[in-house]
Amino acid sequence: MDGDRVESSVVCEDGVITSFSGAPLGATRIDARGCAVLPGLIDAHTHLVFGGDRVGEFRARSAGATYEDIAKEGGGIWKTVLATREASEMELFALAMPRLKQMIARGVTTVEGKGGYGLALEDERKILRVYRQLQHETGVDIVTTFLALHALPRGRTKDAYVEESLTWLETLHKEGLVDGVDVFVETTAFSLDDAKRTGEVAHRLGLPLRLHVDQLTEGKGAALAAELGAASADHLENMREEDASTLAEAGVVATLLPWASLFVSRGKKPPVARLREAGVKMAIATDFNPGSAPVLDMHATMALAVGYFGMSVEEVLRGVTTHAADALKIPAGVIKLGARADLVVLDHEDPTRLCYEVGNSPVRMTVKSGAVIFKRG
Ligand code: NIG
Ligand code: FE
């Protein structure tokens, strides 16, 4: 990823890259001749932990129903909330683990994971604890995001709910469960003001903001993300094109989610050409969730970013490595001395293969902090 530099070997000790030549005596050797070795992939926006499914809605949408109509009729996010509340922590863990293993098999070594399907303190806690457990069991870094403002629970008034959610944020942060904060800013969800109030608390706690904005309707969300100094503005299908320079100036990463665009945005896409021209860093993520993007496959997501969004392969590779790391505000996504040895080894020399022959994964091996966590049998 670093220009045309070709390294002969990557030496890892105690999980960290210590040299690009030679190797200590007795070191475990992995022969990667003829293989591209890339930074482990980073999926910077997922809703990995949830109960139930929304397969019926998928069918209904295929027959003309809209995502918003389904939500208004009590389906959508609320349906997943009920199923998630119903599930125990162990059940949610058992559902999420095979999903995460699919990601790992595709070279993913860091995943952002959101709450937002509990909408009550104990249920949001349950989801965030599952993420911590998944990290513990697999070694993959899971960057958690508090998202109580994902949907208004039935029977609640908005202001009281927003106020209460902020007390949960403080509590769960104290419990060490929160790495970042998100709000779904949308006419059918929460307002710019709700996001500002949340942003103030996040700021006071030193937590980065990553906001769902301008997804289904144009709502000045990109400008808000810039104003609040968010780490990322996610979705952006309906952003005002003039906000691209505002995002660039504020250093906000645009996290683009091709599957959600394809499945629920009815032909609307983020203004990639405008973002590129303004110099906005673009990350690409699966947005894996049971509603708008039921897709775990990072390679297919990258291919869609190329074919549907019109991004170059180079942009997409940065979008799942360095720029994704910037979106999460973590030191990852690069192969350099002193960096953690998070690597993906491909069958081919050309990393384009990651998003070329979709369905035929070129990933031979996934290495996390120097340990092999996936090896193709
Ligand atoms: O990223 N837009 C809000 N949140 C998710 C969808 C969640 C769901 O439908 O369950 C998204 O598209
Ligand atoms: Fe999302």
Side-chain angles (χ1 to χ4, degrees):
M1 294 293 292
D2 202 12
D4 293 316
R5 205 154 131 220
V6 178
E7 306 295 357
S8 57
S9 57
V10 182
V11 181
C12 318
E13 287 174 87
D14 296 327
V16 169
I17 298 171
T18 52
S19 161
F20 291 116
S21 62
L25 268 178
T28 309
R29 284 168 187 274
I30 295 169
D31 185 356
R33 275 174 295 185
C35 304
V37 178
L38 303 180
L41 309 186
I42 301 170
D43 193 343
H45 181 139
T46 87
H47 306 248
L48 188 68
V49 173
F50 59 84
D53 66 62
R54 305 245 289 280
V55 96
E57 294 178 12
F58 188 86
R59 190 168 50 239
R61 283 207 315 273
S62 78
T66 70
Y67 181 80
E68 296 93 314
D69 289 343
I70 290 169
K72 274 185 210 132
E73 285 154 18
I77 293 170
W78 185 245
K79 183 169 192 283
T80 301
V81 168
L82 296 179
T84 304
R85 286 180 177 176
E86 201 58 36
S88 68
E89 199 168 309
M90 268 174 65
E91 285 165 340
L92 290 176
F93 177 82
L95 287 168
M97 187 55 133
R99 297 173 187 147
L100 183 57
K101 285 196 172 151
Q102 290 287 338
M103 292 178 163
I104 295 168
R106 288 172 179 83
V108 171
T109 52
T110 301
V111 176
E112 184 265 5
K114 298 176 194 296
Y117 291 127
L119 312 187
L121 174 60
E122 61 276 23
D123 295 299
E124 290 299 330
R125 176 187 285 125
K126 181 171 72 176
I127 296 168
L128 297 175
R129 282 170 53 99
V130 171
Y131 284 121
R132 290 290 191 244
Q133 194 61 27
L134 288 167
Q135 167 162 328
H136 186 252
E137 293 291 321
T138 61
V140 163
D141 277 311
I142 307 212
V143 179
T144 61
T145 304
F146 177 82
L147 175 57
L149 300 194
H150 196 196
L152 182 65
R154 302 286 129 166
R156 296 296 309 263
T157 53
K158 200 159 64 120
D159 280 351
Y161 179 69
V162 172
E163 275 312 308
E164 193 181 338
S165 77
L166 297 176
T167 67
W168 305 342
L169 172 53
E170 305 246 9
T171 305
L172 296 173
H173 174 252
K174 263 194 215 119
E175 294 174 17
L177 292 170
V178 181
D179 302 325
V181 180
D182 191 352
V183 176
F184 183 21
V185 181
E186 187 55 57
T187 44
T188 47
F190 294 91
S191 68
L192 296 171
D193 264 357
D194 299 331
K196 277 187 196 166
R197 279 159 76 191
T198 305
E200 278 160 24
V201 178
H203 188 70
R204 179 159 50 73
L205 299 175
L207 293 168
L209 273 178
R210 10 186 179 269
L211 301 173
H212 279 77
V213 285
D214 296 333
Q215 179 185 10
L216 304 167
T217 55
E218 188 269 284
K220 302 187 177 67
L224 173 83
E227 182 190 328
L228 298 181
S232 72
D234 301 35
H235 285 289
L236 301 173
E237 286 82 354
N238 290 281
M239 71 173 269
R240 299 179 302 189
E241 296 219 357
E242 68 263 32
D243 285 340
S245 44
T246 320
L247 286 176
E249 277 156 32
V252 180
V253 177
T255 298
L256 309 180
L257 310 163
W259 290 107
S261 289
L262 189 72
F263 279 133
V264 304
S265 287
R266 297 181 288 276
K268 272 291 231 175
K269 302 177 203 180
V272 165
R274 191 63 203 95
L275 292 167
R276 177 188 295 134
E277 191 181 85
V280 179
K281 290 181 184 175
M282 294 180 275
I284 296 296
T286 59
D287 192 18
F288 174 71
N289 75 77
S292 66
V295 182
L296 289 160
D297 189 333
M298 190 56 126
H299 306 169
T301 305
M302 294 163 73
L304 200 61
V306 172
Y308 185 55
F309 280 176
M311 295 175 73
S312 70
V313 170
E314 168 121 348
E315 283 175 323
V316 164
L317 288 170
R318 291 194 190 285
V320 296
T321 54
T322 46
H323 291 170
D326 290 341
L328 298 182
K329 292 223 180 285
I330 54 167
V334 283
I335 299 179
K336 62 174 186 187
L337 286 180
R340 251 200 338 229
D342 294 356
L343 307 166
V344 51
V345 182
L346 308 186
D347 289 328
H348 308 273
E349 277 180 3
D350 186 344
T352 308
R353 289 282 185 161
L354 272 175
C355 48
Y356 169 63
E357 206 172 295
V358 179
N360 190 9
S361 172
V363 172
R364 183 177 288 190
M365 198 177 280
T366 308
V367 176
K368 177 70 193 173
S369 300
V372 176
I373 56 169
F374 167 79
K375 190 169 191 277
R376 196 174 43 230

